[in-house]
Amino acid sequence: MLTVHHLNNSRSQRVLWLLEELGVPYEIVRYQRQQDMRGPKELLAVHPLGKSPVITDNGNTIAESGAIVEYILGAYGEGRLIPPAGTPERLRYTYWLHYAEGSAMPPLLLKLLFTVMPKRAPSLLRPLVRKVSNQVLTALVNPQLKQHMAFWEAELGRSQWFAGNEFSAADIQMSFPLEVASARAGLEEGHPRCMAFLERIHARPAYARALEKGGSYQVGR
Ligand SMILES: N[C@@H](CCC(=O)N[C@@H](CS)C(=O)NCC(=O)O)C(=O)O
């Protein structure tokens, strides 16, 4: 049976959600974040990078959310949650599947890093670290995030979901950047379509079932 190596409060929540949407049977092996938020060393026994999500299925070990989505849809999707090949929707789908981790997450991670750094700095250095962090946030990170969030808002004006008017796995993949931006980057201000997107996904029964199975999920907080 397909196994999800699930790190609490992490991107592997998306994989549980995808499997629940498709009704594919799976089992969960659970891992707990350490105090420093890193994954435990047991995850290194599953994949050399020790990150989650990772799945194992039929002798395959697959890491990286986008690759996992492609594998699951190829093996079990039967054409569901992916627009037909050769359509404009399929192009948009492929774009968002890659964009979520390749372009949206890096500035969100920088935001997290430079927000947390001053809080963790030794007290004598804290004012200096705060000053440098604020400069990086103001000059580099916040303007980029503003641009990304405006882009999502405009795209969700073109169609109800990211790849078109049908819900697809691209929406599952994009859920993580939007959840993090809502917790950390002020998405709720001036992005009503993005907030409506989050409300719509939270109302999906499969999303709720995945939450029940995955446990506490408070990304970016
Ligand atoms: N781009 C990768 C990112 C994987 C990743 O960074 N996962 C985080 C959880 S959200 C993790 O495992 N963190 C623990 C660690 O880095 O030790 C993916 O989408 O699968």
Side-chain angles (χ1 to χ4, degrees):
M1 186 185 287
L2 189 152
T3 300
V4 182
H5 296 270
H6 176 70
L7 181 66
N8 67 303
N9 205 14
S10 81
R11 287 165 170 89
S12 62
Q13 193 61 43
R14 282 189 299 210
V15 177
L16 303 183
W17 178 22
L18 173 63
L19 291 164
E20 289 292 336
E21 289 282 352
L22 294 171
V24 175
Y26 62 95
E27 61 185 13
I28 302 180
V29 178
R30 294 175 194 278
Y31 302 83
Q32 287 297 316
R33 287 187 188 269
Q34 305 173 139
Q35 226 169 10
D36 61 1
M37 294 303 281
R38 301 297 313 276
K41 64 179 183 332
E42 287 75 16
L43 264 174
L44 286 166
V46 187
H47 184 276
L49 296 183
K51 305 254 181 207
S52 177
V54 188
I55 62 165
T56 44
D57 190 37
N58 285 325
N60 300 307
T61 299
I62 302 139
E64 197 59 52
S65 309
I68 293 172
V69 169
E70 286 198 29
Y71 172 83
I72 291 173
L73 288 189
Y76 304 105
E78 298 167 343
R80 290 171 293 165
L81 300 187
I82 180 167
T87 60
E89 287 79 10
R90 179 63 163 265
L91 271 182
R92 289 177 78 195
Y93 168 90
T94 305
Y95 174 76
W96 294 114
L97 198 68
H98 292 274
Y99 162 92
E101 288 296 322
S103 293
M105 284 313 295
L108 286 165
L109 286 174
L110 287 176
K111 175 87 175 175
L112 178 66
L113 189 72
F114 284 103
T115 306
V116 166
M117 239 165 55
K119 294 177 193 155
R120 301 224 174 141
S123 51
L124 268 180
L125 290 178
R126 200 165 294 149
L128 182 64
V129 175
R130 176 162 293 123
K131 194 166 177 205
V132 173
S133 295
N134 283 344
Q135 278 173 355
V136 176
L137 285 171
T138 307
L140 183 77
V141 179
N142 291 342
Q144 277 196 48
L145 283 175
K146 204 172 156 198
Q147 204 178 7
H148 282 272
M149 294 189 294
F151 177 39
W152 309 339
E153 186 68 12
E155 287 290 307
L156 288 172
R158 286 177 66 194
S159 54
Q160 210 196 2
W161 299 104
F162 275 101
N165 284 322
E166 300 287 327
F167 175 76
S168 77
D171 299 300
I172 297 180
Q173 186 75 339
M174 280 300 292
S175 66
F176 193 74
L178 267 73
E179 303 261 27
V180 177
S182 159
R184 292 227 152 246
L187 186 71
E188 45 273 61
E189 282 160 41
H191 305 92
R193 295 187 196 112
C194 291
M195 297 312 289
F197 170 90
L198 287 175
E199 269 179 36
R200 283 199 303 282
I201 64 170
H202 294 162
R204 292 182 77 87
Y207 183 99
R209 285 198 301 277
L211 264 193
E212 257 172 48
K213 299 209 174 142
S216 159
Y217 183 54
Q218 296 185 308
V219 291
R221 280 171 218 277

